[in-house]
Amino acid sequence: MSQEVEKYCTVLINHEKGVPPTSEELAKKLENKKDSIKAEALEELILLMINGESYPKLLMTIIRFVVTCNDHRVKKLLQIYWEIVDKCKEGTNDLKEEMILVCNALRNDLMHANEYVCGSTLRLLCKMKYYRILEPLKEAVLRNLGHRHSYVRRNAVMCVFSIVKHFGVEVLPEAPEDIEQLLLVEGDLSTKRNAFLMLLNCDQDRAIKYVLSLQDQVSSMGDIFQLSVLELVRKVCRSSTVNKGRFLRIVFDLASSSSTAVSYDCASSLVTLSSSPVAIHQAAQVYVQLLTEQSDNNVKLIVLDRLREVQKHHKQVMEGMVMDIFRALTCPSLDVRKKVMDICLGSLVSQRNIKDVVALLKKEVIKTLGYEATSTEGNLEYRRLLIRALHACTGQYPEQAQNVMFLLMDFLTESDQTTATEVVMFLRELIANYPDLRMPILQRLSECISEVSQSRVLRGCLWLFGEFCEEASLIESVIEGILAAIRPLPLVAEESTSSKEKKESNSDAKKETKAPKITTKTVVLADGTYGTQNVIEKAEGDEEEVTHDKPEVKKTPFRTLLLGGDFLLSAMVGVALTRLSMKVSSLAVATKNEVLLVIVNLLKLARQHNCGGESCDSAVRLTQCIRALSAGQASGLSEGQQAATKLVMGDWQSGRNRNQLAKVLELATQNSEWAMGQQEEVEEKSVPPEECIVFRQLRERKGNAASGGAMDDDDDFSMAKGSSLAGQAAADGALFAERLAKVQQMTGLADPVYVEAFLQVHSFDLVLELLIVNRTNETLQNVVVELSTQGDLKLVDRPTAVTLAAGQQMTVYASIKVASTETGIIFGYVTYEKKSAADKECSVLNELHVDILDYIERSWIGELAFRTMWSEFEWENKVNINTSINDVGKYLEHIMRNTNMSIVGRSYKKGAQKDPKKKGKLSAEDVQEMLKEAVGIKKLIDTSSFVAVNLYAKSIFGEDALANISIEKLQDGRLTGSCRIRSRTQGIALSLGDRITIVQRGVQTPNGRQS
């Protein structure tokens, strides 16, 4: 590929060239008199040159036979050819002699009568980077500033701007004045915008003078010109505060523009340039207007990000706009709704607006119950989000809980376990923290417990009954509600059979019954004659069938779960009824006996079940409950049994459970998505005492250098100390070491062509950098690296063919598209030609495995969300632990560091706040800090021989990866157990499992090898 195409060409077109034609063949077509044949030949020549072919001999042919053509297609192709052709002699910076003729042709096109030819030539000159070509054309370019057609004037302004920008205003000293005069009289909006941009970048004082002279008319100009004015305002206000007030007035006027781009830019400018509450309020209003009026979800998400930034620094201004931002909840996108909640809930919710916020959330919850909403995609997730939001709001402001708690309690009977669990967690917090609300909540729970169908929700309700019911009347109604949900008694295992089995058993029983008996009798008829009568007698089983065919008793979900073998729920029922019965001494004897009968029935079911038995946990717990109920009576308990019973009863009455619940609630508050009324921490920049203080007003401004973004940097002072160069050298050294560790050898050192590969991940793209070295003493031609992929990888750009002299090396690139998180393989071969050989030769490349760790980002999640996803995800991969590591903590650190997975639970929130943008590899220090913060896991590692840990990570494609690692340390010191990985898709589950299998065998040493 030519040097011109590599450095300056703006055209990139892929072309499967096959066998390229010779220069003579193309020259013959170019010399043809027909314009269509010339255009086809010129187009083919351009495509070949862009893709690496060189035809230096055709330059003169084109000047002789093509330049004089007036066909517009040929003219346009010719301009592309002028852009890509080599203009300098090979190996030097001297222009070719033919360029004089090219300049003459360009000058003629600049003076052409057709405005399209003239304007497109000016566009071409904007891309020219050779002053010796542009110098003789300056006069013609300036003359076109007064052309009759706006298309030519517009491109003439940009051509002048390009020349001044690249070669300095000295080459066209009269350009700023000419552009200013054009700006004053120009009527075309695009030309005026281009002229203003040129003054903005080349003569800022003239641009300022022009804007201030038309201060009141800017709001009536077009949106593209207004955007240029806003760019000037941002540049000027950063460097000088002289006219800042007048410029901000212009921004305020433009904020109400009908153009969404202008209003968005105005809001961004106000936030950047001013901290005044009036300016921030105006900017926030513009953002909210865009949020509610724009239908594009991408626009909404961008605006919400800007509002998030405003909220961090201007909480007081944003407080009054919470309800306006909540209007965006009408958008059906769950991502938009989640971001709205993240902004509005938390620090913006206060005593002044909590009532309105709760009322709006309550209204949205009611909307999700409508007939149309239930069929909408994402309605269930939105309802969960609203319930969590109400939980967060009313948890801090209990006076609002009474407005929503009974509405939310209707969701306890939902078939969706996550929704019902969210509600019972919300009620648990209210009952624990606010005693005044206990009585009505528990009373309502006792009334609806028979309709609850989720075992986990039932267990939570029963625990609340046993722990917080104190009044005798409440306890009696709760016991009656539980018993009513379990009746009729007794509970027998046969009732758990399905109705189908019952029907089959009934049909079998009918077949076994005897056939009806038929007898013949002689009877006297009405006329006195004799006759015979057949009498059918019923079988013995018929009467029993009639008597026993009673309507089946309707079972509650509660009773169905108990009969279905839910031992954990059975134990919770026994404990709750026992604790309630022991709290009231005046409880009726019949009720006590019925409670005892229920517990005995549950114990019998647990013992008879296939998965139960005498020693199962549920049976042991129910036995303790029976002993506790009969402890006060004359019973045959041994001394050991009586002591154990007193110990259990003492634990129930100690209040330890409430203390543990308080700790759990405190932990949940810390890990909550939204912390009500708390100011979000803003990262503060700390400056060491020896650092230089920079006063922008005293800083020297040379030309346009001061208009850059480095206004607050003390580069000169740093360079004087040498710290800048040292820091840059250290950074370069670290980057080189990192790249060197990832370089992989693709061929052997003894091969004629040596190839090294460096694979770099850019989001969804892989860039493969290949270093090709000619190890022979001959010139190798058409050296091509042919690549293929396996897995969800697609080769986009293939490496180009190169020619290598003896000992020469060259770098080529290939682009690969990634479709999913799956381990992929890149393989192929390198071909080359020798002058001494008739056929091509090739060398096979080593396989290059794409590491899944490049797709995995560190992420954090709460325990409830983890459990929900764990139950929903269907793909699971189980990997047995087989490692030489003998320490549980080291093994866990090793797996976390090599999979980028974080511990689920308490440590995730702190890590996210500390460095929300850090998505690189987990270091050993990060892993040790996580384990240190997870006190319970750390204690288990130190004291127990069995540890179970939940881990979480997320891919760059948004895929969730869950892992449960169960480790047991045997007596001989070896580790055993399993790693279970779950995900929504198969690829990430299998790839992570393969990754764990590879890395678990040993700890990696600093040089990357395993010990």
Side-chain angles (χ1 to χ4, degrees):
M1 189 175 290
S2 66
Q3 181 182 1
E4 190 70 26
V5 174
E6 283 284 345
K7 286 187 177 181
Y8 303 126
C9 182
T10 60
V11 182
L12 181 62
I13 305 173
N14 184 39
H15 177 58
E16 298 295 337
K17 54 189 177 183
V19 180
T22 61
S23 298
E24 290 75 14
E25 294 173 349
L26 289 173
K28 188 176 180 180
K29 291 182 180 181
L30 292 171
E31 294 172 6
N32 196 292
K33 295 182 179 180
K34 291 185 178 180
D35 293 341
S36 59
I37 297 178
K38 288 183 179 180
E40 291 175 4
L42 193 55
E43 181 178 344
E44 186 179 7
L45 175 62
I46 290 171
L47 291 173
L48 291 170
M49 291 180 65
I50 289 176
N51 287 274
E53 298 296 328
S54 178
Y55 294 94
K57 297 180 181 179
L58 293 179
L59 176 58
M60 199 62 203
T61 303
I62 290 176
I63 294 174
R64 290 176 58 197
F65 297 100
V66 182
V67 166
T68 56
C69 180
N70 290 321
D71 184 73
H72 280 190
R73 184 178 177 220
V74 175
K75 284 286 186 185
K76 184 60 180 175
L77 291 171
L78 192 58
Q79 289 166 6
I80 300 176
Y81 177 76
W82 295 142
E83 185 179 350
I84 66 175
V85 71
D86 282 330
K87 302 170 184 64
C88 297
K89 297 177 182 178
E90 189 174 355
T92 65
N93 291 327
D94 298 332
L95 288 178
K96 295 180 178 180
E97 289 79 1
E98 293 90 338
M99 286 299 109
I100 299 175
L101 301 175
V102 173
C103 287
N104 186 55
L106 293 174
R107 181 181 178 82
N108 292 335
D109 287 341
L110 288 174
M111 302 172 65
H112 202 282
N114 185 281
E115 62 271 7
Y116 168 74
V117 175
C118 188
S120 58
T121 306
L122 288 165
R123 288 175 64 89
L124 168 66
L125 295 181
C126 292
K127 306 170 188 176
M128 285 288 181
K129 303 297 186 293
Y130 297 94
Y131 180 66
R132 291 176 60 187
I133 295 178
L134 295 171
E135 186 177 11
L137 305 176
K138 292 190 296 183
E139 182 182 352
V141 170
L142 291 174
R143 188 182 303 169
N144 279 317
L145 291 175
H147 197 277
R148 57 183 174 78
H149 202 282
S150 61
Y151 175 72
V152 179
R153 296 196 302 272
R154 182 190 317 157
N155 288 294
V157 172
M158 295 310 296
C159 184
V160 172
F161 178 29
S162 176
I163 295 173
V164 173
K165 182 179 179 182
H166 289 100
F167 305 106
V169 73
E170 295 81 7
V171 299
L172 288 173
E174 69 278 14
E177 185 176 353
D178 292 345
I179 296 295
E180 185 182 16
Q181 295 300 320
L182 174 66
L183 189 60
L184 293 173
V185 299
E186 182 58 52
D188 179 66
L189 186 61
S190 297
T191 308
K192 181 173 280 193
R193 187 272 311 266
N194 292 353
F196 184 77
L197 279 177
M198 191 253 175
L199 290 181
L200 167 62
N201 290 276
C202 301
D203 196 337
Q204 204 172 88
D205 292 335
R206 291 179 185 269
I208 294 172
K209 180 181 176 182
Y210 176 76
V211 170
L212 294 179
S213 65
L214 300 175
Q215 182 174 348
D216 298 329
Q217 303 175 23
V218 174
S219 57
S220 61
M221 296 182 178
D223 55 349
I224 58 175
F225 185 81
Q226 292 171 349
L227 291 172
S228 303
V229 172
L230 290 173
E231 184 180 349
L232 172 70
V233 170
R234 286 192 294 271
K235 280 191 174 185
V236 172
C237 291
R238 285 196 185 106
S239 59
S240 174
T241 59
V242 176
N243 296 309
K244 185 175 182 180
R246 299 178 67 181
F247 281 129
L248 285 179
R249 181 186 168 189
I250 296 176
V251 178
F252 267 98
D253 294 338
L254 293 178
S256 57
S257 173
S258 58
S259 170
T260 54
V262 174
S263 57
Y264 175 81
D265 219 9
C266 286
S268 302
S269 302
L270 288 173
V271 173
T272 305
L273 302 176
S274 176
S275 58
S276 167
V278 178
I280 300 301
H281 186 269
Q282 179 71 22
Q285 273 189 335
V286 172
Y287 282 142
V288 171
Q289 185 178 358
L290 292 172
L291 180 64
T292 54
E293 292 181 356
Q294 294 299 307
S295 58
D296 190 348
N297 290 340
N298 294 321
V299 175
K300 291 180 182 290
L301 292 172
I302 292 171
V303 172
L304 286 170
D305 287 336
R306 302 286 79 77
L307 284 171
R308 183 77 174 182
E309 294 298 321
V310 176
Q311 177 213 2
K312 288 181 180 179
H313 302 90
H314 307 281
K315 172 197 165 189
Q316 294 79 7
V317 178
M318 291 286 291
E319 269 188 18
M321 312 193 73
V322 170
M323 301 309 296
D324 295 326
I325 300 174
F326 266 127
R327 287 160 54 195
L329 290 177
T330 56
C331 176
S333 171
L334 189 63
D335 293 332
V336 173
R337 287 169 166 172
K338 181 68 170 63
K339 280 203 171 186
V340 170
M341 295 288 190
D342 291 339
I343 293 173
C344 295
L345 300 181
S347 60
L348 297 185
V349 176
S350 62
Q351 192 68 41
R352 290 176 291 180
N353 56 22
I354 182 63
K355 185 176 180 180
D356 297 331
V357 171
V358 171
L360 184 140
L361 294 176
K362 181 179 177 181
K363 185 178 178 181
E364 290 294 320
V365 170
I366 295 174
K367 283 183 182 179
T368 61
L369 301 175
Y371 176 75
E372 296 181 356
T374 52
S375 59
T376 305
E377 184 181 359
N379 182 68
L380 190 59
E381 290 80 2
Y382 181 43
R383 188 187 302 168
R384 295 175 187 171
L385 182 66
L386 290 170
I387 291 175
R388 292 202 304 270
L390 284 171
H391 183 183
C393 290
T394 55
Q396 296 292 330
Y397 300 96
E399 64 275 6
Q400 300 298 326
Q402 298 180 5
N403 300 329
V404 296
M405 63 183 184
F406 292 119
L407 171 65
L408 295 183
M409 288 173 74
D410 293 337
F411 293 107
L412 287 173
T413 58
E414 281 279 323
S415 58
D416 178 41
Q417 181 178 352
T418 306
T419 303
T421 305
E422 289 281 357
V423 174
V424 81
M425 295 296 106
F426 166 62
L427 297 176
R428 182 185 69 174
E429 184 173 346
L430 291 180
I431 291 173
N433 294 335
Y434 308 106
D436 297 340
L437 301 177
R438 289 177 186 172
M439 185 75 174
I441 293 176
L442 294 172
Q443 185 67 41
R444 178 66 182 275
L445 282 178
S446 66
E447 296 172 0
C448 67
I449 194 170
S450 60
E451 302 174 6
V452 179
S453 58
Q454 300 294 334
S455 175
R456 183 179 178 186
V457 178
L458 283 169
R459 295 198 305 269
C461 295
L462 291 170
W463 187 87
L464 292 174
F465 288 148
E467 186 66 34
F468 292 102
C469 286
E470 304 292 346
E471 291 81 0
S473 59
L474 177 61
I475 291 175
E476 291 177 1
S477 63
V478 168
I479 293 177
E480 182 59 32
I482 296 174
L483 294 177
I486 299 176
R487 293 183 185 125
L489 298 175
L491 300 171
V492 290
E494 286 76 16
E495 291 185 22
S496 62
T497 57
S498 64
S499 60
K500 183 178 179 181
E501 293 174 348
K502 289 183 178 181
K503 291 180 181 178
E504 292 177 356
S505 62
N506 290 338
S507 63
D508 294 340
K510 289 178 182 178
K511 292 178 182 178
E512 293 176 0
T513 57
K514 296 180 180 179
K517 184 179 180 181
I518 303 175
T519 58
T520 304
K521 294 182 180 181
T522 303
V523 295
V524 180
L525 300 177
D527 56 358
T529 60
Y530 293 96
T532 59
Q533 182 181 16
N534 293 331
V535 179
I536 301 175
E537 297 180 359
K538 294 182 179 180
E540 296 178 0
D542 288 349
E543 292 183 5
E544 294 180 3
E545 183 180 341
V546 173
T547 56
H548 291 287
D549 192 15
K550 296 179 181 179
E552 187 177 346
V553 179
K554 184 180 179 181
K555 296 178 184 177
T556 62
F558 197 171
R559 180 186 177 92
T560 304
L561 288 171
L562 292 175
L563 295 177
D566 192 338
F567 297 151
L568 192 57
L569 179 60
S570 299
M572 196 65 245
V573 170
V575 171
L577 288 175
T578 303
R579 295 186 67 179
L580 291 171
S581 301
M582 294 173 60
K583 287 183 179 181
V584 181
S585 57
S586 59
L587 193 64
V589 177
T591 305
K592 286 185 178 180
N593 292 337
E594 191 172 2
V595 167
L596 192 58
L597 177 61
V598 169
I599 299 175
V600 170
N601 275 252
L602 294 175
L603 177 60
K604 186 177 179 181
L605 288 174
R607 288 178 174 176
Q608 293 177 351
H609 199 277
N610 295 333
C611 299
E614 294 285 345
S615 59
C616 73
D617 294 342
S618 179
V620 173
R621 195 64 169 163
L622 290 170
T623 303
Q624 293 175 347
C625 294
I626 295 173
R627 290 172 181 170
L629 284 175
S630 59
Q633 305 172 2
S635 57
L637 297 178
S638 64
E639 293 184 1
Q641 291 175 342
Q642 290 179 0
T645 302
K646 291 181 180 179
L647 185 63
V648 171
M649 295 171 61
D651 181 62
W652 286 343
Q653 298 171 359
S654 64
R656 185 175 64 88
N657 292 337
R658 299 193 183 187
N659 295 334
Q660 293 296 326
L661 176 61
K663 294 180 181 178
V664 171
L665 294 177
E666 182 182 358
L667 189 60
T669 303
Q670 294 175 1
N671 285 342
S672 175
E673 291 178 278
W674 309 293
M676 298 295 115
Q678 295 183 8
Q679 179 67 39
E680 187 169 350
E681 294 183 4
V682 180
E683 183 181 355
E684 296 182 358
K685 295 182 180 180
S686 57
V687 180
E690 70 275 7
E691 288 296 326
C692 177
I693 300 175
V694 179
F695 295 94
R696 292 187 298 175
Q697 289 78 2
L698 304 180
R699 193 182 182 110
E700 183 182 4
R701 299 182 181 86
K702 296 179 181 179
N704 298 318
S707 60
M711 291 300 301
D712 297 324
D713 298 333
D714 48 347
D715 298 331
D716 297 336
F717 190 62
S718 297
M719 291 182 67
K721 296 188 298 181
S723 58
S724 177
L725 297 176
Q728 185 64 33
D732 292 344
L735 180 61
F736 176 75
E738 183 181 353
R739 286 174 60 93
L740 193 62
K742 291 184 178 181
V743 170
Q744 298 192 37
Q745 185 176 332
M746 304 295 285
T747 61
L749 292 172
D751 289 332
V753 177
Y754 174 72
V755 181
E756 278 185 355
F758 171 69
L759 190 64
Q760 196 168 3
V761 179
H762 295 286
S763 295
F764 307 124
D765 298 323
L766 299 177
V767 177
L768 183 62
E769 183 179 317
L770 297 167
L771 175 66
I772 307 174
V773 183
N774 182 1
R775 304 278 294 176
T776 67
N777 295 324
E778 302 179 50
T779 299
L780 301 181
Q781 297 177 340
N782 290 330
V783 182
V784 181
V785 180
E786 297 289 349
L787 298 175
S788 298
T789 59
Q790 179 181 344
D792 264 346
L793 303 176
K794 180 182 178 182
L795 200 60
V796 179
D797 295 329
R798 298 181 179 275
T800 56
V802 295
T803 299
L804 298 177
Q808 185 182 0
Q809 65 181 32
M810 191 172 292
T811 303
V812 296
Y813 299 90
S815 297
I816 302 169
K817 197 77 174 177
V818 185
S820 67
T821 308
E822 186 177 343
T823 302
I825 300 174
I826 303 172
F827 57 95
Y829 55 92
V830 56
T831 63
Y832 50 92
E833 296 177 358
K834 292 182 179 180
K835 290 184 178 180
S836 58
D839 298 329
K840 286 186 177 182
E841 299 184 22
C842 71
S843 300
V844 179
L845 302 177
N846 293 330
E847 290 183 349
L848 182 63
H849 292 262
V850 180
D851 193 355
I852 186 180
L853 198 61
D854 294 328
Y855 307 144
I856 300 295
E857 295 178 346
R858 55 186 301 186
S859 188
W860 296 266
I861 196 174
E863 293 178 354
L864 183 60
F866 178 88
R867 288 194 294 268
T868 302
M869 286 193 288
W870 185 268
S871 62
E872 292 177 352
F873 289 176
E874 56 184 5
W875 289 104
E876 178 174 318
N877 186 13
K878 185 176 181 180
V879 179
N880 293 324
I881 294 178
N882 181 17
T883 180
S884 59
I885 305 174
N886 296 326
D887 184 78
V888 176
K890 285 186 178 180
Y891 177 80
L892 192 58
E893 290 181 18
H894 182 61
I895 294 297
M896 291 172 62
R897 193 172 65 251
N898 285 279
T899 58
N900 256 7
M901 304 192 83
S902 305
I903 296 177
V904 174
R906 74 172 67 211
S907 61
Y908 89 98
K909 197 72 177 180
K910 183 176 180 181
Q913 290 177 350
K914 182 182 296 184
D915 199 352
K917 295 183 180 180
K918 187 175 182 181
K919 296 182 179 180
K921 280 189 176 182
L922 278 173
S923 63
E925 292 77 12
D926 296 332
V927 175
Q928 291 171 1
E929 185 178 357
M930 286 185 191
L931 292 174
K932 184 179 179 182
E933 292 171 358
V935 182
I937 296 176
K938 186 66 176 174
K939 189 175 181 180
L940 273 177
I941 293 175
D942 296 337
T943 61
S944 176
S945 60
F946 177 80
V947 178
V949 182
N950 293 329
L951 303 177
Y952 173 79
K954 200 168 189 176
S955 73
I956 60 176
F957 305 97
E959 301 166 317
D960 299 297
L962 316 178
N964 171 264
I965 301 182
S966 301
I967 312 170
E968 182 181 0
K969 189 167 186 177
L970 302 179
Q971 293 182 353
D972 58 359
R974 293 187 299 109
L975 299 184
T976 185
S978 63
C979 302
R980 296 168 62 198
I981 303 151
R982 286 194 182 184
S983 65
R984 200 179 298 275
T985 56
Q986 183 183 19
I988 190 171
L990 295 178
S991 300
L992 261 181
D994 295 341
R995 174 76 181 177
I996 292 176
T997 302
I998 294 172
V999 304
Q1000 71 173 341
R1001 299 189 181 277
V1003 180
Q1004 288 186 348
T1005 56
N1007 60 4
R1009 297 181 179 178
Q1010 292 183 349
S1011 60

